[in-house]
Amino acid sequence: EGKGNLAGGFAGKLLASAQHVKAGSLEATGLVGRFAVSTDRRRIQFTGRVLAERLLLAGNVLNRAAVRLKGSSSESFANVEAGWSMDAAVGKLLYGAARRLQGDGQFSLDATSQRLTAKLELEGARPAPKDQARLAAAIPHAAGTPVEPLLRQLRLAIAELGKGSVATAPLEYRASDGQRSLFVGPPTIIAASGVRLLGNGRGLVMPLDRGQGTFDGEFA
């Protein structure tokens, strides 16, 4: 509802709700969106948030997700720009486990391309027990060598990961000229014990249509 000239000067509120929505591999239940909407020089301005009881994406489950949006769009929705932030409880992860997911970033869409950037943070992140055990078993003991105490400390640090860590990573999705790619920056992990794994570099580049993924990065 609202009032004013739709080409410029309109102001109103938008309420949208849906019990179930599916778009590709993304499914959402219990969706409610509330936005303030206005127009200026034939461009739509919007700000508000979307709540979802449950989000499912590629085997990952988020509960009580809240996404805040602020942006603008052309009349035909062919050109959209928005900033976003989110907060959700983690129900299930395809790899490992965590308590909470937070993130923020930007989204843009025009006639030829789409771009979504994100900086994600997982609170209470833990590797799956079997992956943690496999990683610890892969570290040699090197008994009697100068690196033995260093490797012992590394095994202890891996054991501490089960207590939960804070993991952050930048992501970017691009679609242009019929090509779609996902970029995942090297993560930074701070364990509950204070041990840090610091990532740097371009990270994982994954073509989603054709071609092979590559990784370029370093860790300290």
Side-chain angles (χ1 to χ4, degrees):
E1 61 180 11
K3 61 182 179 179
N5 190 323
L6 290 178
F10 175 87
K13 296 180 179 179
L14 171 67
L15 169 65
S17 64
Q19 186 55 39
H20 182 254
V21 172
K22 184 174 182 180
S25 58
L26 173 65
E27 288 190 59
T29 56
L31 275 176
V32 178
R34 294 183 174 89
F35 292 91
V37 182
S38 62
T39 59
D40 180 31
R41 290 172 289 183
R42 296 190 177 276
R43 193 158 184 90
I44 305 166
Q45 315 288 332
F46 57 89
T47 180
R49 65 176 185 165
V50 178
L51 305 176
E53 293 178 3
R54 197 164 187 247
L55 291 175
L56 296 88
L57 177 62
N60 302 292
V61 179
L62 299 178
N63 297 319
R64 301 180 298 282
V67 181
R68 296 184 179 273
L69 296 166
K70 182 177 182 179
S72 65
S73 170
S74 62
E75 290 179 305
S76 63
F77 301 102
N79 179 281
V80 181
E81 296 179 349
W84 65 272
S85 63
M86 76 169 297
D87 181 86
V90 176
K92 177 185 177 183
L93 291 180
L94 197 58
Y95 300 103
R99 288 193 304 271
R100 193 148 212 90
L101 172 66
Q102 295 178 306
D104 58 65
Q106 302 287 325
F107 173 77
S108 63
L109 165 72
D110 59 31
T112 60
S113 65
Q114 299 176 35
R115 183 169 180 257
L116 173 68
T117 63
K119 181 180 180 182
L120 299 182
E121 178 180 294
L122 277 173
E123 179 186 332
R126 306 182 305 279
K130 63 178 181 180
D131 294 330
Q132 187 173 346
R134 187 181 300 118
L135 183 59
I139 299 173
H141 289 271
T145 72
V147 297
E148 181 184 5
L150 296 176
L151 295 176
R152 185 187 309 119
Q153 291 298 318
L154 182 56
R155 282 192 296 273
L156 290 174
I158 292 174
E160 292 291 315
L161 291 178
K163 296 180 179 179
S165 308
V166 175
T168 60
L171 282 80
E172 182 176 347
Y173 167 81
R174 295 182 196 168
S176 179
D177 300 323
Q179 297 284 327
R180 299 178 304 145
S181 299
L182 181 65
F183 301 80
V184 182
T188 292
I189 301 173
I190 302 177
S193 63
V195 174
R196 299 184 182 188
L197 176 69
L198 305 177
N200 187 35
R202 193 179 187 195
L204 177 67
V205 181
M206 185 183 306
L208 299 179
D209 297 297
R210 57 180 179 271
Q212 291 185 328
T214 60
F215 182 86
D216 180 14
E218 58 186 33
F219 293 95

